[in-house]
Amino acid sequence: MLNDGKCRCTCPGATVWVTGRSLADRRAAAFTMAERLTAEGRRVQVLDRPVATGEDTDRTGITAEVLARNGLVAIVPCTTDAARDTAGVRTRHAASGTRYVEVCVAEAQCPEDSAALAHERLTGRR
């Protein structure tokens, strides 16, 4: 149902592209962030799929952008190669006016810190 309270978007959507250390760290940060945002009543989808370079990065970026345009926070814990190949993803988000945030797990000590950093960039509060 479209008017179901559980389906209401409580914030604009966004894509959070998680880069940095090992895939395990990126995934842990992504799921920690998803839990935190879900607890606040936001709709979240983790696109937890190893992303290869090139076409797969673009496909994942398109999927994330469509979800974000529709009010979800799409979190992508990407591979290192995919992190370097995000120009097309950023361009697509900018063209549609969709929020795009990159968070580097290496900037923080633990997944919780990375999740807090992404949360701050999305909401303006820690």
Side-chain angles (χ1 to χ4, degrees), residues 19-67:
T19 65
R21 300 185 300 213
S22 73
L23 180 57
D25 289 338
R26 292 188 300 272
R27 289 181 73 211
F31 283 102
T32 299
M33 186 183 335
E35 287 173 10
R36 183 174 183 171
L37 292 168
T38 300
E40 294 177 356
R42 298 192 177 161
R43 297 184 308 157
V44 179
Q45 179 65 52
V46 177
L47 299 178
D48 184 27
R49 175 180 172 278
V51 178
T53 57
E55 215 171 282
D56 283 347
T57 301
D58 290 338
R59 247 185 244 128
T60 302
I62 289 168
T63 302
E65 191 263 334
V66 168
L67 290 171

Side-chain angles (χ1 to χ4, degrees), residues 16 18-19 21 25-37 40 42 73 75 101 103-126:
V16 180
V18 184
T19 65
R21 300 185 300 213
D25 289 338
R26 292 188 300 272
R27 289 181 73 211
F31 283 102
T32 299
M33 186 183 335
E35 287 173 10
R36 183 174 183 171
L37 292 168
E40 294 177 356
R42 298 192 177 161
V73 177
I75 304 171
V101 176
V103 175
C104 182
V105 175
E107 293 176 6
Q109 297 298 318
C110 64
E112 290 79 13
D113 289 345
S114 298
L117 175 64
H119 186 268
E120 183 176 358
R121 289 184 185 169
L122 284 172
T123 65
R125 62 188 198 294
R126 204 125 162 88

Side-chain angles (χ1 to χ4, degrees), residues 17 19 51-59 61-62 65 78 80-96 98 100 102:
W17 206 264
T19 65
V51 178
T53 57
E55 215 171 282
D56 283 347
T57 301
D58 290 338
R59 247 185 244 128
I62 289 168
E65 191 263 334
C78 63
T80 305
D81 290 340
R84 286 181 285 214
D85 192 26
T86 59
V89 175
R90 286 192 304 269
T91 300
R92 181 175 177 86
H93 279 72
S96 68
T98 306
Y100 175 85
E102 283 188 29

